[in-house]
Amino acid sequence: MKIAIDISNVSVTISDKEILKNINISLEEGHFLGIVGPNGGGKTTLIKVILGLIKPTSGSVSIFGAPPDSLILGNGFFGYLPQHQNIDPNFPATSLDIVLMGRYRKAGFFRWPGQKDREIAMKYMSIMGIENLKGAQYSRLSGGQQQRVSIARALAGEPRILILDEPSTGIDVVGQENFYHLLKGLQKKMNLTILMVSHDIGSVTTYVDEISCLNIKLYYHGNPLGALSDKVMTSLYGKNVDLLMHTDACDKCERLRP
């Protein structure tokens, strides 16, 4: 297997504040990684380091063997869904317009999307189950519908790595479960490498292949169930926590105290 993302001894200090300290993560192509941890723990900063938007103070990052800042203007590596998307409620763009924005890097920012671009955009809208929304005004869609449109936009660039920062924000519990199932299907169907930041530890452990527990330092990386240990959770959050996990075996929520 190829190594998609290799993070080696990465530290980030901004304005004399240590944001990340000595992070080491290696992720194979086609794997699904969940990153969990408290607010202010450096999760979004780590994503920006991977994307090449922030340079580490020390250490290195490689994406399929190349530094990320050499790929940021290249084609086909990253699809990115940020945590916050502030949309003017009067913004007139349709869902198809939004998805077509994902083609700009492939097609060129100064070229109007052509028929092939529209076909590719509709392909990913169909995969996301939103082809019927192509003419709907994006700003008037529900939170779950907007998330699906935004992911279709990220996929329209045909990336090798999909990065999602808190993608289930604003989606109800049932919608979140459907959303995670959808991501898992995309991973398998497209051999897509997925990196997802989430606070939903209970659900994330069900769907990801690997999990990283981050709070400035990396407290755990490996099998998802290993993250639920008392030692890891206490180190990560500084105290005991209760987790609600959905278990397929009994089809109900089970309270776990790690």
Side-chain angles (χ1 to χ4, degrees):
M1 297 290 289
K2 293 182 179 179
I3 299 299
I5 301 172
D6 189 37
I7 301 167
S8 179
N9 300 314
V10 162
S11 296
V12 174
T13 299
I14 299 176
S15 299
D16 296 325
K17 181 179 179 181
E18 191 171 50
I19 310 297
L20 295 172
K21 182 177 180 179
N22 198 33
I23 306 301
N24 290 277
I25 297 173
S26 183
L27 182 66
E28 291 183 352
E29 184 178 18
H31 280 210
F32 191 165
L33 171 66
I35 299 179
V36 299
N39 289 333
K43 301 185 298 297
T44 297
T45 297
L46 181 61
I47 282 179
K48 291 181 178 179
V49 169
I50 292 169
L51 289 169
L53 301 175
I54 292 178
K55 288 191 175 183
T57 307
S58 61
S60 63
V61 176
S62 66
I63 309 299
F64 291 104
D69 55 1
S70 71
L71 305 173
I72 194 167
L73 297 178
N75 294 329
F77 279 92
F78 297 118
Y80 175 45
L81 180 63
Q83 183 176 358
H84 300 294
Q85 301 186 87
N86 297 318
I87 304 296
D88 186 331
N90 297 314
F91 187 54
T94 67
S95 297
L96 179 57
D97 292 333
I98 296 295
V99 176
L100 280 169
M101 291 178 182
R103 294 296 302 165
Y104 290 164
R105 185 167 292 175
K106 283 278 190 180
F109 286 100
F110 300 104
R111 186 179 73 80
W112 193 257
Q115 182 59 33
K116 179 182 178 182
D117 299 308
R118 294 177 68 87
E119 290 172 0
I120 291 173
M122 286 304 303
K123 169 187 171 181
Y124 288 106
M125 290 188 79
S126 178
I127 288 174
M128 298 302 296
I130 52 170
E131 66 272 24
N132 61 316
L133 298 176
K134 66 179 182 178
Q137 187 171 322
Y138 175 78
S139 59
R140 296 184 180 178
L141 300 178
S142 69
Q145 289 171 331
Q146 286 188 352
Q147 291 293 68
R148 286 175 177 257
V149 171
S150 296
I151 292 175
R153 178 189 63 196
L155 293 173
E158 299 178 310
R160 296 175 70 179
I161 300 173
L162 179 63
I163 298 180
L164 310 164
D165 193 354
E166 296 286 358
S168 60
T169 301
I171 306 177
D172 60 32
V173 175
V174 175
Q176 288 179 18
E177 291 294 322
N178 292 336
F179 180 73
Y180 293 141
H181 276 293
L182 178 63
L183 288 180
K184 196 66 179 177
L186 289 173
Q187 175 201 7
K188 293 180 178 179
K189 183 176 182 178
M190 302 170 61
N191 192 35
L192 194 61
T193 304
I194 301 177
L195 191 157
M196 180 177 70
V197 168
S198 178
H199 281 95
D200 190 3
I201 300 175
S203 291
V204 164
T205 55
T206 304
Y207 296 98
V208 300
D209 302 311
E210 305 171 36
I211 196 165
S212 292
C213 297
L214 181 68
N215 187 4
I216 302 178
K217 296 190 296 182
L218 186 66
Y219 287 94
Y220 177 84
H221 176 85
N223 185 286
L225 293 180
L228 302 179
S229 73
D230 178 61
K231 180 180 179 181
V232 172
M233 289 291 98
T234 301
S235 298
L236 189 62
Y237 292 99
K239 54 185 176 181
N240 289 334
V241 296
D242 283 343
L243 295 177
L244 284 175
M245 280 193 66
H246 177 79
T247 57
D248 292 331
C250 61
D251 197 30
K252 66 179 181 180
C253 284
E254 176 182 347
R255 181 172 292 277
L256 300 177
R257 180 181 290 275

